[in-house]
Amino acid sequence: MDNRLSMHARMASSGVYGSMAENEGGKGLFGRLFGRSQQQPEPQPPIQPEIPPATPPEAPPQAPPGPDAPTPEAPPFEPPGPEIPSASPMEEPPAPLPPELGANEPLRAGAESAPASWWTRLRSGLSRSSSSIGQGVASIFTKRKLGADTLEELEDVLIRSDLGVALAARIAESVGRGRYDKTIDPQEVREILAAEVEATLTPVARPLVIDGTKQPFVILVVGVNGSGKTTTIGKIAAKLVREGKKVSLAAGDTFRAAAIEQLKIWGARIGAPVIARDQGSDAASLAFEALTEARESGADVLLMDTAGRLQNRTELMAELEKIVRVMRKVDAQAPHAVLLVLDATVGQNALSQVEIFGRIAGVTGLVMTKLDGTARGGILVAIAQKHQLPVHFIGVGEGVEDLEPFEARDFARAIAGLDA
């Protein structure tokens, strides 16, 4: 008996009966005497192993189908395939148009939407100058009597708008005549301004006349870098072609490959041959060849481009002088017209351009471009006042219809902020 009790004691001390008691829910003698706990422990949730996020199964490599293999059904999703090139190596995408030409077709017919009227585009192009003048006039003459101080302020506004000192003084004199110590409506001031500007511009507003007795009639186009010479040539050529004239173009800006390509684009669109040589060729030699070829082909007009050059670079102006000399070896009177293209955004610098290009190349007429809303169009009035050179065209955009013959009245009323 003692042996059995000692055996049970050893089993209890080793925890055997405790385990049995737990398994039996704490019932029985040994469970009550020797068990570790008489309460059922709370069940613990099983520990779940970490499972990495599922990744889509890789498509098994497919063996190349045999000649008789059926076409497999399309899978529910389309796996990424090989990158498809945008253009075949044999079919290069068309090159973008040169920056000056823009995206407009020069001979676009049947446009989807009617363009704005010429007057609307002109007034928009002169909006910077007209706003400056209009705001200045309104601030000076609203609820104030006219006197020496108000007239001096008016002159300052007009000079800042690039109309020139002489014209500004004349306009101030006209405004003050018979109106001292009286109030004057700003609208009346703008009407007087428009009348004076129109009187200044009317003598120089002359169309470009092509002399039919000169074959070809040679037009040399000059100007500084970025003034829009090449685009202007294309637009004038398009207008002449529409008038039934046979036109040839000469790509004399041999410094820029883009200018050569741009002129070729214009030539292809209007059906005019383009005489061009490789980039870096001698411009004077090209002028000689172009005039010779145009004469042999029976062209009515030859329009020649030239490289843009700063008027203060003596060596570049000497090259332009050389082009004129070489042309006269073919035709002693060539060029018959020299057009200076002026950028309307440069302001007073245009006065210097007219003076120097006129002395070197013998400028016979002007074209004012880039009247796009940022222009300082008043400078054209100052140039007309000082140099009395004909103004043939003004441009307000990139399309061929955005270059129009110069009209003094339209320009004067637009710059004064008045209706047509």
Side-chain angles (χ1 to χ4, degrees), residues 295-335:
R295 174 177 282 185
E296 292 173 354
S297 66
D300 298 315
V301 180
L302 171 65
L303 279 155
M304 179 162 179
D305 195 6
T306 58
R309 60 200 76 227
L310 296 174
Q311 71 273 18
N312 57 359
R313 293 286 299 275
T314 306
E315 73 280 9
L316 297 179
M317 298 304 289
E319 289 180 3
L320 183 59
E321 201 172 17
K322 180 183 175 183
I323 292 173
V324 175
R325 288 199 312 270
V326 169
M327 276 187 166
R328 288 175 179 168
K329 293 181 179 180
V330 183
D331 185 337
Q333 296 180 330

Side-chain angles (χ1 to χ4, degrees), residues 99-100 104 118-131 226-228 235 342-347 368-379 394-399 402-403 411 414:
E100 291 183 27
N104 292 344
W118 168 251
W119 166 254
T120 301
R121 286 175 285 162
L122 175 61
R123 188 167 182 180
S124 174
L126 290 170
S127 60
R128 176 179 177 182
S129 297
S130 63
S131 295
S227 60
K235 294 175 184 178
L342 296 171
D343 180 344
T345 64
V346 301
M368 178 69 81
T369 65
K370 302 188 180 181
L371 290 167
D372 58 0
T374 62
R376 301 165 66 179
I379 193 61
I394 55 174
V396 297
E398 295 293 338
D402 293 327
L403 184 76
F411 189 93

